[in-house]
């Protein structure tokens, strides 16, 4: 990410000093605050000294236990807004540099002319020259680094960016990489280029599936799987199985989800994708009414999550961080009828997804959270609130077609069970029907 700016470093220190002031005023020691915020005293010391950040849950708990009445948490949100703006500028600058370098390489490089003709009596100098030509490359470590960065940046934009724009950019990078693979490169560079292509294909497949283009999504997933096998990249292989589990879940093939998740976990047992695979298994078990299995898988998944370090780019669609667990648990608890737990997780998902300006940085997750709150309102007999949550949920422009249809069907089924003849139910069923129609026209209707 690059070195933190002096302005950001200074603001972090001021935020830490403010925490120390509130803590002291509340009569708390660092150890007592650490216990109240579920961390250790060293962490509190580092945060107060401006050497550590602390996540949203820490600052919410600290604000509450220090009696700051929201003031401390508000300052943390201000700091996060400045930090996000700084990181966005840094990433945009790096991406522009990467694209500029890629364009220069594209226009200036040409395939090397490697001769395989060996003279009858090659002298040492000719052998050296022959080897030099064999190892000539038009790529280089700088290009690989920039391509990794560009691919990661696109994966971080998955949650919110226009799907057509995202897919177009990913395809452009794939075409550029294809050109590099057609020219001279080392074996190591060849593998790295394939790995980057694998991540781009996974991203494209996810976007295609969101748009209802199931056949294209499966083709992209299969292409990524082949790259994973050819390069021996367990992470890519595991994510292709995760996609298959997701496809099976949303298409009602619930019995195959657990086997697909197990295959993915076997491919990359020590990576965080195992947590996502566990989540898909839990969701399938919840839809099959296997309540005890759901709780067992959620417990195992949470313990697995704790074994992994927090990623440097948690917004990357292909990494798992603790904040995503609320999203997974929310779906499962909604399905097994544990309304209050589902509501608590849904509200946490909305809080995590909210930017400083009030917009959603993860609109698809926020949509599902709002539909969860609509379901909970239905079960409490509050049709008006359920209708409002449904309306707000469906107003998002970034949707996942199959996922949304699945949850909409579950919401309607609950509605028909609880309010079979209530005319007020039209305030929910009509927007859901309209959303399905729009998804069919804009997404699945284009499937080839």
């Amino acid at each position: 990410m690059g070195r933190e700016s002096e302005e950001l470093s200074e603001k972090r220190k001021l935020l830490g000093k403010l925490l120390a002031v509130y803590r002291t005023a509340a009569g708390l020691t660092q150890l007592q605050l650490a216990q109240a915020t579920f961390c250790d005293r060293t962490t509190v010391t580092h945060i107060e000294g401006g050497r550590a950040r602390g996540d949203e849950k820490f600052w919410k708990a600290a604000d509450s236990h220090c009696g700051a009445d929201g003031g401390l948490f508000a300052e943390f949100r201000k700091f996060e807004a400045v930090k996000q703006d700084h990181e966005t500028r840094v990433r945009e600058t790096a991406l522009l540099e990467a694209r500029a370098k890629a364009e220069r390489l594209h226009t200036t490089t040409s395939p090397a002319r490697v001769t395989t003709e060996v003279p009858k009596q090659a002298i040492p100098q000719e052998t050296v020259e022959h080897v030099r030509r064999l190892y000539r490359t038009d790529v280089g470590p700088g290009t690989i680094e920039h391509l990794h960065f560009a691919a990661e940046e696109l994966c971080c934009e998955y949650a919110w960016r226009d799907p057509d724009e995202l897919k177009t950019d990913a395809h452009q990078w794939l075409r550029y990489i294809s050109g590099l693979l057609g020219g001279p490169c080392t074996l190591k560079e060849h593998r790295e280029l394939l790995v980057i292509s694998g991540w781009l294909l996974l991203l494209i497949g996810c976007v295609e599936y969101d748009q209802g283009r199931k056949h294209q999504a499966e083709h992209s997933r299969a292409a990524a799987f082949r790259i994973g096998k050819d390069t021996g990249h367990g992470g890519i292989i595991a994510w292709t199985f995760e996609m298959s589990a997701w496809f099976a879940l949303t298409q009602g093939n619930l019995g195959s989800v657990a086997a697909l998740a197990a295959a993915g976990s076997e491919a990359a047992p020590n990576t965080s994708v195992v947590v996502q695979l566990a989540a898909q298994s839990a969701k399938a078990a919840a839809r099959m009414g296997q309540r005890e299995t759901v709780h067992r898988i959620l417990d195992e998944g949470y313990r697995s999550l704790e074994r992994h370090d927090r990623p440097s780019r948690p917004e990357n669609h292909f990494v798992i961080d603790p904040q995503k667990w609320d999203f997974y648990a929310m779906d499962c608890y909604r399905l097994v009828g544990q309304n209050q737990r589902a509501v608590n997780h849904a509200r946490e998902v909305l809080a995590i997804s909210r930017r400083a300006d009030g917009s959603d940085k993860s609109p698809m997750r926020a949509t599902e959270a709002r539909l969860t709150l609509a379901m909970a309102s239905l079960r409490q007999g509050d049709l008006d609130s359920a209708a409002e949550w449904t309306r707000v949920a469906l107003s998002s422009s970034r949707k996942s077609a199959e996922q949304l249809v699945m949850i909409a069907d579950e919401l309607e089924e609950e509605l028909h069970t609880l309010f079979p003849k209530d005319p007020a139910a039209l305030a929910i069923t009509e927007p859901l029907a309209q959303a399905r129609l729009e998804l069919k026209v804009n997404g699945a209707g284009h499937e080839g």
Side-chain angles (χ1 to χ4, degrees):
M1 177 55 65
R3 189 173 180 179
E4 188 175 80
S5 68
E6 290 184 9
E7 176 193 7
L8 201 58
S9 179
E10 187 61 31
K11 287 184 180 296
R12 188 192 299 278
K13 292 176 182 177
L14 289 173
L15 182 61
K17 290 178 181 178
L18 185 62
L19 172 62
V21 169
Y22 273 108
R23 175 183 58 76
T24 303
L28 296 175
T29 65
Q30 288 184 336
L31 179 59
Q32 289 171 327
L33 181 59
Q35 292 170 340
T37 53
F38 307 103
C39 64
D40 54 50
R41 189 187 65 80
T42 301
T43 299
V44 174
T45 301
H46 285 316
I47 293 173
E48 290 188 349
R51 296 182 297 278
R53 165 181 169 269
D55 59 16
E56 190 167 293
K57 288 184 178 180
F58 169 85
W59 287 98
K60 279 184 178 179
D63 185 284
S64 174
H65 286 87
C66 292
D69 196 26
L72 190 57
F73 184 65
E75 291 301 317
F76 165 71
R77 294 297 294 269
K78 289 179 184 178
F79 169 78
E80 285 293 288
V82 173
K83 177 176 177 289
Q84 186 176 48
D85 182 63
H86 168 73
E87 291 177 350
T88 299
R89 291 198 306 270
V90 170
R91 288 198 296 269
E92 287 176 349
T93 299
L95 187 57
L96 287 172
E97 291 175 354
R99 285 174 172 164
K101 181 168 183 178
E103 183 61 27
R104 289 197 300 272
L105 286 168
H106 181 68
T107 56
T108 60
T109 58
S110 59
R113 296 176 182 174
V114 180
T115 176
T116 57
E117 181 181 347
V118 181
K120 293 180 180 179
Q121 294 181 337
I123 61 174
Q125 291 89 340
E126 289 175 333
T127 302
V128 170
E129 178 63 16
H130 181 63
V131 172
R132 187 190 69 80
R133 289 182 179 180
L134 284 174
Y135 281 89
R136 176 180 171 179
T137 175
D138 285 346
V139 184
T143 302
I144 295 293
E145 181 181 351
H146 284 306
L147 288 172
H148 271 297
F149 176 84
E152 182 182 40
E153 192 68 20
L154 292 178
C155 292
C156 290
E157 294 173 351
Y158 167 79
W160 56 267
R161 193 173 173 197
D162 177 84
D164 287 320
E165 291 180 2
L166 186 61
K167 197 165 56 173
T168 296
D169 274 5
H171 276 299
Q172 286 178 342
W173 283 112
L174 273 178
R175 283 193 290 272
Y176 177 69
I177 292 172
S178 178
L180 292 177
L181 287 168
C185 60
T186 66
L187 285 174
K188 182 179 179 181
E189 288 169 348
H190 189 274
R191 181 185 182 278
E192 286 298 307
L193 291 173
L194 286 177
V195 166
I196 297 167
S197 299
W199 291 118
L200 290 171
L201 285 164
L202 286 171
L203 175 64
I204 290 168
C206 289
V207 175
E208 288 169 335
Y209 198 73
D210 287 338
Q211 295 178 310
R213 297 178 168 91
K214 292 184 283 189
H215 293 322
Q216 290 97 321
E218 175 56 27
H219 286 312
S220 297
R221 188 208 65 81
F225 176 79
R226 179 177 176 180
I227 286 176
K229 294 288 285 185
D230 289 346
T231 59
H233 197 292
I236 290 176
I237 295 172
W239 275 104
T240 65
F241 278 109
E242 192 280 335
M243 288 176 68
S244 290
W246 174 32
F247 296 173
L249 176 72
T250 53
Q251 293 173 37
N253 302 323
L254 303 179
S256 63
V257 175
L260 291 166
S265 298
E266 185 178 348
N270 299 316
T271 63
S272 65
V273 68
V274 171
V275 180
Q276 178 102 349
L277 289 161
Q280 300 294 16
S281 291
K283 290 181 178 184
R287 285 171 170 83
M288 292 188 288
Q290 300 170 356
R291 188 165 181 160
E292 291 185 4
T293 302
V294 170
H295 286 291
R296 176 181 58 78
I297 295 175
L298 287 179
D299 288 343
E300 291 174 356
Y302 188 75
R303 286 196 296 272
S304 176
L305 187 64
E306 290 181 322
R307 292 194 291 269
H308 295 282
D309 294 333
R310 179 179 172 83
S312 59
R313 299 292 301 277
E315 66 271 33
N316 187 331
H317 182 60
F318 299 109
V319 301
I320 308 299
D321 74 293
Q323 290 185 343
K324 287 183 180 178
W325 196 249
D326 285 295
F327 176 64
Y328 305 143
M330 171 193 75
D331 183 73
C332 295
Y333 289 132
R334 178 186 73 240
L335 289 162
V336 298
Q338 293 188 259
N339 292 340
Q340 192 54 54
R341 297 186 77 170
V343 167
N344 292 342
H345 284 290
R347 294 193 182 282
E348 187 64 24
V349 169
L350 289 175
I352 293 169
S353 298
R354 192 174 297 118
R355 292 193 179 99
D357 63 3
S359 63
D360 294 323
K361 60 183 177 183
S362 299
M364 289 182 287
R365 278 190 236 166
T367 292
E368 190 166 336
R370 292 181 177 111
L371 290 176
T372 294
L373 293 171
M375 181 78 82
S377 297
L378 275 184
R379 290 169 176 169
Q380 293 167 358
D382 189 348
L383 272 172
D384 290 338
S385 292
E388 179 60 16
W389 280 119
T390 301
R391 183 193 66 78
V392 176
L394 299 179
S395 66
S396 173
S397 59
R398 182 73 166 94
K399 298 181 178 75
S400 177
E402 298 296 325
Q403 187 89 355
L404 182 57
V405 168
M406 177 180 67
I407 299 169
D409 287 346
E410 292 164 355
L411 183 60
E412 278 197 335
E413 183 178 348
E414 191 82 7
L415 183 64
H416 291 320
T417 299
L418 297 174
F419 302 95
K421 297 180 180 180
D422 195 324
L426 291 174
I428 298 173
T429 56
E430 288 182 348
L432 289 175
Q434 181 62 30
R436 284 194 189 89
L437 179 61
E438 291 174 358
L439 289 171
K440 184 176 181 180
V441 171
N442 298 322
H446 294 171
E447 190 170 359

